[in-house]
């Protein structure tokens, strides 16, 4: 390991991503609250604005879980630690963003549908996804020492993602209440939403995507640094021999 | 047990069968998985029975005060919940037997592809779950107003294959954690959702003696068959990464 290129060093691209992500979040917030027209009362009026958070969160959750799948396959093929880190990091982010989906949805649904929750296809599959990846994180967290948990987690990451279409089709056969071209006007949805709402929606989508990329980079970097700390500790222990009482550093 | 040829003389299928047989012999001698599974399933059935309204009243047989579900819909759900619970309790033990005295090391020395190990464990688990169902379905038919037709067998076979494919793979995964018995259902239930829905949808019609719509029935059977095939392959392929 060279001394100049530290494994956790913040590169220029990393910094640019951070700036871009937060700038686009600011722009998107402006569009959402000051540009986008208020929606019809049937969609909740002002409440509909929560969808600029809700739908991009769902989008990012799926991106994150797809990332877990791809990184898990790559890890099993190559055995490279970085892929395991990417899968683990993406799973954490996926659970965070799908939690946001599961929290923001009911906040809107309660006044508009008159109920917090419906066992509708989209809601049910979102919950199944959340449980799948919560299980993935629990598996990693509760691993026995020295087990091959990275490989096992990769299996869960793969099996859980393959399951998505099955869950989708099977719960689809239940009644579906969820607005299908969500209240943000996808082109085919025949939605009444105009340009300002689309602007807000797509700016939010871009902001969330950049934010996800940045958070993933931050989380992977954290993992790299944690590995490095572990390696240095091990190295130090070996060099010190049978552990003389190591002086505790004054600063922690 | 006298005419068992040396393991090295057997092919892939022969070794796989021998391993499955080994687990079944252990079970026959120790009886520490199947009897608890059977009693457990009966205990779950008992508890679920307390959640039902009085089925002797004619009105209760038609509509329950939970949305549009009929008693048969709920009973099919009860039955499959019981099967899933009992199955996972049993599957969680399938790698327990290998933990004693380093048996897992000996198992890994068997000159057999990992997919064979997976299939052997899956066959043992399949034997357990079929035994539970052979016990539980008649018990349900006696205790609750459901009819068992021949069509139920086809559903049960397809459900069992998918259930065992997932259950065996995830049991091996869960065995690597500190909370094995808890982790298996946590991992397996979300993935088993499609199998469970298909099982309930198909059997609730059969229990009522109601013909399942051809299109609807074919759709659910299609989901089950695809699920079984994909997860049997995933399990067999993934097993070499799980067992090390």
């Amino acid at each position: 390991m060279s001394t100049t290129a530290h494994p956790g060093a913040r590169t220029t691209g990393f910094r640019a991503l951070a700036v871009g992500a937060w700038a686009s979040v600011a722009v998107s917030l402006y569009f959402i609250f000051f540009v986008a027209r208020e929606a019809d009362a049937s969609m909740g009026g002002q409440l509909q604005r929560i969808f600029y958070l809700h739908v991009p969160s769902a989008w990012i959750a799926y991106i994150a879980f797809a990332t877990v799948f791809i990184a898990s396959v790559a890890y099993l093929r190559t055995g490279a630690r970085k892929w395991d880190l990417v899968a683990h990091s993406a799973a954490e982010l996926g659970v965070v963003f799908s939690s946001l989906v599961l929290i923001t949805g009911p906040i809107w649904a309660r006044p508009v549908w008159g109920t917090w929750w419906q066992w509708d296809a989209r809601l049910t599959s979102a919950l199944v996804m959340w449980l799948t990846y919560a299980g993935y994180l629990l598996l990693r967290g509760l691993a026995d020492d020295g087990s091959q948990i990275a490989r096992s987690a990769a299996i869960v990451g793969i099996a859980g993602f393959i399951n998505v279409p099955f869950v989708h089709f099977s719960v689809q056969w239940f009644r579906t209440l969820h607005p299908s071209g969500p209240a943000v006007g996808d082109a085919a949805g025949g939605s009444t939403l105009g340009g300002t709402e689309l602007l807000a929606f797509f700016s939010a989508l871009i902001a969330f995507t950049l934010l996800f990329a940045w958070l993933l980079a931050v989380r992977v970097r954290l993992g790299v640094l944690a590995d490095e700390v572990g390696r240095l500790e091990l190295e130090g222990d070996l060099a010190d021999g049978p552990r003389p009482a190591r002086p505790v550093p004054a600063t922690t | 047990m006298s005419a068992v040829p040396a393991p090295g003389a057997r092919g892939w299928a022969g070794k796989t069968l021998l391993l499955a047989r080994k687990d079944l012999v252990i079970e026959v001698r120790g009886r520490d998985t199947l009897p608890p599974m059977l009693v457990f399933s009966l205990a779950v059935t008992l508890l679920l029975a307390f959640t039902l309204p009085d089925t002797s009243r004619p009105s209760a047989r038609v509509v329950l005060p939970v949305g549009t579900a009929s008693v048969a819909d709920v009973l099919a759900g009860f039955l499959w919940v019981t099967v899933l619970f009992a199955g996972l309790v049993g599957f969680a033990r399938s790698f327990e037997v290998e933990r004693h005295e380093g048996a897992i090391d000996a198992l890994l020395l068997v000159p057999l592809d990992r997919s064979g190990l997976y299939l052997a464990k899956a066959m043992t688990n399949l034997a357990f779950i079929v035994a539970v169902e052979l016990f539980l379905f008649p018990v349900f038919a006696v205790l609750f107003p459901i009819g068992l037709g021949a069509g139920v067998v086809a559903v049960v076979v397809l459900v069992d294959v998918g259930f065992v494919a997932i259950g065996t793979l995830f049991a091996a995964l869960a065995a690597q954690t500190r909370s094995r018995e808890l982790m298996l259902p946590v991992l397996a239930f979300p993935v088993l959702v499609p199998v469970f829905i298909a099982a309930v949808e198909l059997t609730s019609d059969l229990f009522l003696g109601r013909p399942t719509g051809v299109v609807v029935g074919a759709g659910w059977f299609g989901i089950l068959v695809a699920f079984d095939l994909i997860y049997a392959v995933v399990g067999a392929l993934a097993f070499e990464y799980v067992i090390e």
Side-chain angles (χ1 to χ4, degrees):
Chain A
M1 188 111 347
S2 82
T3 47
T4 47
H6 189 269
R10 290 188 184 86
T11 61
T12 314
F14 183 88
R15 289 172 202 279
L17 191 55
V19 172
W22 288 109
S24 62
V25 165
V27 170
S28 175
L29 282 174
Y30 174 74
F31 283 149
I32 290 169
F33 287 105
F34 298 105
V35 176
R37 195 165 44 88
E38 187 183 337
D40 291 346
S42 67
M43 291 309 297
Q46 291 290 355
L47 289 169
Q48 182 266 349
R49 290 187 205 275
I50 203 167
F51 275 76
Y52 300 122
L53 180 61
H54 179 80
V55 181
S57 294
W59 157 255
I60 292 306
Y62 279 98
I63 295 272
F65 296 145
T67 307
V68 175
F69 174 73
I70 293 166
S72 296
V73 171
Y75 176 69
L76 288 185
R77 289 179 63 94
T78 65
R81 164 77 178 139
K82 67 173 177 186
W83 289 118
D84 182 45
L85 259 178
V86 170
H88 189 180
S89 309
E92 284 183 357
L93 289 174
V95 169
V96 168
F97 281 96
S98 54
S99 300
L100 275 178
V101 174
L102 292 172
I103 291 166
T104 52
I107 291 175
W108 174 85
R110 175 66 183 171
V112 178
W113 288 346
T115 176
W116 295 107
W117 184 266
Q118 276 288 327
W119 290 101
D120 149 278
R122 286 198 191 209
L123 279 64
T124 308
S125 34
L127 186 60
V128 172
M129 295 277 282
W130 189 92
L131 280 170
T132 302
Y133 290 92
Y136 174 98
L137 295 180
L138 282 171
L139 177 72
R140 301 199 73 122
L142 294 170
D144 271 336
D145 294 338
S147 64
Q148 297 280 345
I149 206 65
R151 289 170 163 208
S152 302
I155 300 297
V156 175
I158 292 168
F161 194 71
I162 291 174
N163 200 35
V164 171
F166 284 109
V167 172
H168 179 78
F169 284 117
S170 54
V171 296
Q172 195 81 59
W173 292 35
F174 288 133
R175 56 197 178 280
T176 284
L177 183 65
H178 193 285
S180 61
V184 286
D186 71 6
S191 156
T192 56
L193 296 187
T196 57
E197 294 92 306
L198 291 178
L199 191 64
F201 173 64
F202 284 109
S203 71
L205 208 55
I206 291 167
F208 268 74
T209 307
L210 288 175
L211 197 61
F212 168 71
W214 177 67
L215 286 170
L216 188 64
V218 168
R219 181 61 185 82
V220 169
R221 175 173 173 269
L222 196 62
V224 169
L225 288 174
D227 282 357
E228 184 69 1
V229 168
R231 193 184 65 81
L232 289 173
E233 270 179 359
L234 194 66
E235 220 168 51
D237 284 357
L238 292 176
D240 292 348
R243 224 181 244 276
R246 271 199 296 176
V248 179
T251 54
T252 49
Chain B
M1 290 296 286
S2 55
V4 179
R10 293 163 180 266
W12 181 88
K15 287 173 190 164
T16 303
L17 284 171
L18 191 65
L19 283 178
R21 178 174 169 179
K22 174 214 69 152
D23 281 343
L24 289 174
V25 167
I26 290 174
E27 176 60 25
V28 166
R29 292 188 182 159
R31 295 186 201 89
D32 45 10
T33 300
L34 190 56
M37 282 172 89
L38 295 176
V39 178
F40 178 83
S41 68
L42 196 56
V44 174
T45 306
L46 174 75
L47 288 183
L48 290 176
F50 292 128
T51 68
L52 278 177
D54 184 359
T55 48
S56 61
R57 278 180 305 190
S59 63
R61 299 182 71 127
V62 184
V63 179
L64 277 175
V66 283
T68 56
S70 70
V71 171
D73 290 319
V74 177
L75 286 176
F78 281 6
L79 179 56
W80 287 111
V81 162
T82 311
V83 169
L84 286 194
F85 280 14
L88 289 182
V89 168
F91 297 170
R93 293 193 46 80
S94 54
F95 293 90
E96 199 62 24
V97 65
E98 309 296 350
R99 294 173 73 88
H100 298 303
E101 300 178 32
I104 187 80
D105 297 327
L107 187 69
L108 293 176
L109 286 175
V110 175
L112 174 64
D113 198 75
R114 296 287 185 259
S115 60
L117 292 184
Y118 171 73
L119 194 64
K121 285 292 179 193
M123 287 193 316
T124 314
N125 283 335
L126 187 64
F128 288 156
I129 202 65
V130 166
V132 167
E133 285 162 343
L134 285 176
F135 169 73
L136 197 61
F137 276 71
V139 165
F140 256 69
V142 169
L143 296 179
F144 302 113
I146 62 170
L148 298 178
V152 172
V153 175
V155 180
V156 168
V157 168
L158 287 176
V159 170
D160 283 0
V161 170
F163 182 29
V164 165
I166 289 292
T168 306
L169 177 63
F170 282 11
L173 296 171
Q176 301 174 354
T177 66
R178 291 191 294 277
S179 34
R180 291 182 280 285
E181 303 80 3
L182 268 174
M183 272 317 289
L184 177 55
V186 165
L187 292 175
F189 280 155
V191 180
L192 287 170
V193 160
V195 173
F196 181 75
I197 298 177
V200 172
E201 291 289 312
L202 283 169
T203 47
S204 59
D205 283 344
L206 291 166
F207 286 168
L208 268 189
R210 199 165 57 191
T212 305
V214 175
V215 176
V216 171
W220 290 122
F221 272 112
I223 284 179
L224 278 180
V225 169
F227 189 98
D228 289 0
L229 287 176
I230 287 177
Y231 278 107
V233 172
V234 166
L237 290 179
F239 211 60
E240 72 169 279
Y241 297 106
V242 177
I243 291 286
E244 193 60 33

